[in-house]
Amino acid sequence: MAHVGADAEEAVFQSFRNGLSINFQVKRGLSITRRSSRLLHYKSWGGYPSTPQTGVPLYWGQDLLVQLARYPESKVLPFGNGRSQGDVCLNGGGILVGTRSMDRFLHFDHLQGTIICESGVLLGELMEMTVPRGWFPIVTPGTRFITIGGAIANDVHGKNHHRAGSFGNQVLRLELLRSDGQRLICSPTENRSWFEATIGGLGLTGLILWAELRLRPIANPLIHQQVIRFSHLDDFFAISVDSDQDYEYTLAWVDGHATGANLGRGVLTRGNHAGFFTDSHRQVAQPALQPSFPVTLPFSLVNPWTVSLFNKFYYHKPIRKDGYSTIHYRPFFYPLDGILHWNRVYGRGGFLQYQCVVPTAHGRDAMKEILSRIAATRLGSLIAVLKIFGAVSSVGLLSFPRPGVTLAIDFPNPGPRTLELLSKLDGIVRQAGGAVYPAKDARMSPEAFHDYYPKTDRFREFIDPRFSSQFWRRIRGGNP
């Protein structure tokens, strides 16, 4: 087994030997005992659908070819850290190849602000290396527990889409391993078609071995933020115009149960990276140790009564008169990461997240109708977020972000009522010319997907014949 590992290591770094200097750092030493072929169990973050999944871990990219030979009749799918809410990360009846152990950093240019790492590195692990050295990811989603490969495969976005676009816009290049052993260096100038198919390609074009990312300079790990309470959806749009001009990051929590004159009320947070340290900055508290929700309950703690109570409390929470404060980047970007396994509050039935985007021209009316329908059912949960996407074009053929207003909201899974509501929301989004996010979906129809993603036919040309997912078969009507 040690010989296999040495060969794989040679293969992983072969592509770096033509003119690149390499700062090689193995975060975790190769352990023969960790190279067991035992099957592991995987699941999505939302817990719906609850199809049993099995998988095998990869410690080196070349191990993929070994697993393909071991399971010649099975379709495979890369699996990162399981933070996708729906079935885009599942592969019922096939094999998941876990990439989490491919977590080595290959090169960090702390002068230019670029880093090369394997696809199983967590965003949080990357930040542990770069933030103390004055560099920050240009785009980060709402959790740091996502792998770099997962961030690319789903072309995730953050609070600054209006300035920087999505994660794929920050990828300088990557290496893709196909099931026939072909290895492709993909970038905006090299194998560009493969690059566009793999950014947001849902893990279907092959295994991403490593990626090179650009970073942004920072003076310290702090954020100057302002918190503003708004009383109606129209106020959100008005405040967002000013926010997007003056602030790098903006995001709004919205009360999904509010109706009438309070429809779409919420709390907007906007912020910029802080300048150089002052004495007051040094007093900012560091994030505390993270508690963990201990078990998955047989029932959901999220119901209309608890949601209504939470929303009223959160909307009326005390805010400083001017709303300004300076906080550590972790609570600013990752408030939900403050409680590990928070998804367990939804119980064994899990939850569904619905994230849609509608074009700017129809955004106000469409969002009013969507929020009105959600409030009427009282099915919405504690987490509902509004954001304006900017005009920076996404790289990927299947990338979700596009200009407009986006809403992301969790729904407990009590059964058909939730699915019926989400189908009605699909109708509003389709009529407005918008889209629903595959990374968070578990039930959109094939017809809706093709309306949302008109480049699907072109994307099919790049799918690896040995790769598939539960999501892909679903939106293909059961076809591989």
Side-chain angles (χ1 to χ4, degrees):
M1 295 298 288
H3 176 70
V4 172
D7 287 347
E9 180 179 2
E10 176 70 19
V12 166
F13 301 112
Q14 181 64 42
S15 57
F16 292 98
R17 293 177 176 169
N18 296 323
L20 276 177
S21 64
I22 303 170
N23 294 331
F24 181 72
Q25 177 184 350
V26 178
K27 287 182 74 264
R28 299 176 182 175
L30 177 64
S31 167
I32 292 176
T33 58
R34 293 178 65 205
R35 297 178 63 81
S36 166
S37 61
R38 66 187 176 87
L39 297 180
L40 302 177
H41 294 272
Y42 297 86
K43 59 183 179 180
S44 70
W45 186 247
Y48 176 86
S50 60
T51 310
Q53 299 286 310
T54 55
V56 292
L58 298 182
Y59 292 93
W60 301 95
Q62 205 71 8
D63 291 351
L64 171 69
L65 304 181
V66 176
Q67 299 301 344
L68 288 171
R70 182 172 295 168
Y71 302 99
E73 304 300 324
S74 298
K75 295 285 187 178
V76 301
L77 180 73
F79 185 96
N81 201 38
R83 287 293 169 141
S84 296
Q85 283 89 343
D87 57 357
V88 73
C89 65
L90 302 180
N91 190 23
I95 300 295
L96 294 173
V97 287
T99 63
R100 184 62 188 93
S101 294
M102 294 171 57
D103 61 355
R104 287 159 283 255
F105 290 96
L106 309 181
H107 182 78
F108 178 32
D109 187 333
H110 60 88
L111 297 178
Q112 299 298 320
T114 60
I115 190 166
I116 303 173
C117 64
E118 288 185 316
S119 60
V121 169
L122 292 182
L123 182 63
E125 293 172 338
L126 183 147
M127 297 170 77
E128 288 174 7
M129 171 172 284
T130 64
V131 170
R133 294 166 173 81
W135 295 97
F136 201 81
I138 296 177
V139 171
T140 172
T143 176
R144 67 185 191 282
F145 297 127
I146 183 174
T147 62
I148 299 303
I152 295 172
N154 294 287
D155 197 11
V156 298
H157 52 273
K159 296 178 171 65
N160 61 341
H161 185 274
H162 59 286
R163 294 275 183 95
S166 57
F167 196 87
N169 294 106
Q170 321 312 324
V171 178
L172 296 172
R173 57 186 180 137
L174 58 86
E175 184 172 14
L176 190 68
L177 174 62
R178 302 273 290 177
S179 62
D180 60 3
Q182 184 182 20
R183 301 171 72 130
L184 297 169
I185 304 296
C186 308
S187 75
T189 57
E190 186 174 6
N191 293 312
R192 180 181 175 89
S193 295
W194 290 96
F195 187 69
E196 294 174 342
T198 302
I199 301 292
L202 310 176
L204 298 173
T205 62
L207 176 67
I208 299 172
L209 296 176
W210 55 263
E212 182 176 10
L213 311 173
R214 65 167 64 91
L215 307 168
R216 63 167 296 151
I218 55 174
N220 56 61
L222 305 182
I223 299 289
H224 279 318
Q225 71 165 9
Q226 186 184 25
V227 180
I228 304 172
R229 192 169 13 241
F230 58 92
S231 59
H232 191 270
L233 184 64
D234 289 335
D235 297 334
F236 161 76
F237 284 102
I239 298 171
S240 293
V241 172
D242 293 336
S243 298
D244 289 354
Q245 291 178 354
D246 299 329
Y247 289 86
E248 177 74 19
Y249 305 106
T250 66
L251 198 74
W253 168 87
V254 62
D255 182 351
H257 278 198
T259 61
N262 295 323
L263 181 71
R265 70 178 183 180
V267 178
L268 183 140
T269 303
R270 57 192 187 184
N272 291 316
H273 288 280
F276 290 102
F277 271 121
T278 66
D279 289 341
S280 61
H281 289 159
R282 299 183 191 284
Q283 298 173 7
V284 174
Q286 298 297 311
L289 295 176
Q290 297 168 301
S292 177
F293 200 85
V295 296
T296 301
L297 301 173
F299 55 88
S300 175
L301 292 177
V302 182
N303 56 57
W305 186 84
T306 58
V307 172
S308 181
L309 186 65
F310 172 87
N311 286 359
K312 289 178 181 177
F313 169 80
Y314 193 82
Y315 177 72
H316 292 288
K317 68 177 182 177
I319 296 175
R320 292 178 53 166
K321 188 175 181 179
D322 61 7
Y324 287 105
S325 61
T326 300
I327 66 173
H328 194 273
Y329 76 85
R330 285 186 185 171
F332 180 83
F333 287 103
Y334 317 113
L336 290 176
D337 285 351
I339 301 177
L340 301 178
H341 303 294
W342 60 264
N343 55 336
R344 291 173 175 171
V345 303
Y346 287 99
R348 292 174 184 167
F351 72 96
L352 298 97
Q353 185 170 98
Y354 189 85
Q355 182 165 7
C356 63
V357 57
V358 291
T360 305
H362 308 290
R364 190 182 304 255
D365 292 339
M367 279 301 155
K368 284 182 179 178
E369 187 172 356
I370 289 171
L371 288 172
S372 296
R373 293 208 179 202
I374 294 172
T377 63
R378 296 176 65 79
L379 289 176
S381 76
L382 322 172
I383 302 169
V385 173
L386 276 172
K387 163 74 186 158
I388 302 292
F389 281 159
V392 180
S393 297
S394 298
V395 175
L397 299 177
L398 297 186
S399 289
F400 165 72
R402 62 202 70 184
V405 55
T406 180
L407 170 71
I409 181 168
D410 287 356
F411 292 91
N413 177 34
R417 285 186 66 210
T418 298
L419 298 178
E420 182 181 354
L421 170 64
L422 299 188
S423 293
K424 291 179 178 177
L425 300 186
D426 279 347
I428 301 171
V429 174
R430 293 173 73 179
Q431 187 173 14
V436 171
Y437 196 9
K440 300 179 178 181
D441 178 71
R443 29 58 54 198
M444 76 167 75
S445 70
E447 295 78 16
F449 178 80
H450 283 79
D451 281 356
Y452 300 148
Y453 297 93
K455 297 180 181 177
T456 300
D457 288 341
R458 184 182 167 201
F459 171 74
R460 285 198 193 98
E461 300 172 13
F462 300 93
I463 296 176
D464 190 299
R466 288 295 307 275
F467 282 51
S468 186
S469 71
Q470 201 155 315
F471 170 86
W472 187 249
R473 292 190 291 275
R474 177 165 57 80
I475 60 96
R476 291 270 296 150
N479 296 315

